[in-house]
Amino acid sequence: KLRNKIAVILGASKSLGRAITLGYAREGADIVAVARTSALLDELADEIAAMEHDLPGTEALPPDRTT
């Protein structure tokens, strides 16, 4: 259903963001997953790769605590 679509998901490594990311991946979307916790993001990427669906990009973003 989502082939040739790109989903950018913030907070992808935990809770609802993780569930959405996995659901979109199952439906064939290309996923750009963004999260602060790189270890959890790596685990998510491994889980999606096990579905034989590679992530085109992942990036762990540290929180901005300057404001």
Side-chain angles (χ1 to χ4, degrees):
K1 293 180 183 179
L2 297 176
R3 290 244 178 261
N4 299 318
K5 303 291 183 187
I6 299 171
V8 178
I9 302 167
L10 307 178
S13 67
K14 295 182 180 179
S15 302
L16 185 58
R18 181 180 181 84
I20 290 169
T21 302
L22 292 171
Y24 278 27
R26 276 191 288 275
E27 293 296 323
D30 291 325
I31 306 293
V32 178
V34 181
R36 294 180 297 182
T37 310
S38 60
L40 293 176
L41 192 58
D42 290 341
E43 288 175 18
L44 178 64
D46 290 343
E47 191 170 341
I48 292 172
M51 293 181 200
E52 298 181 359
H53 184 85
D54 293 328
L55 292 171
T58 63
E59 183 175 353
L61 299 175
D64 179 1
R65 300 194 191 273
T66 60
T67 57

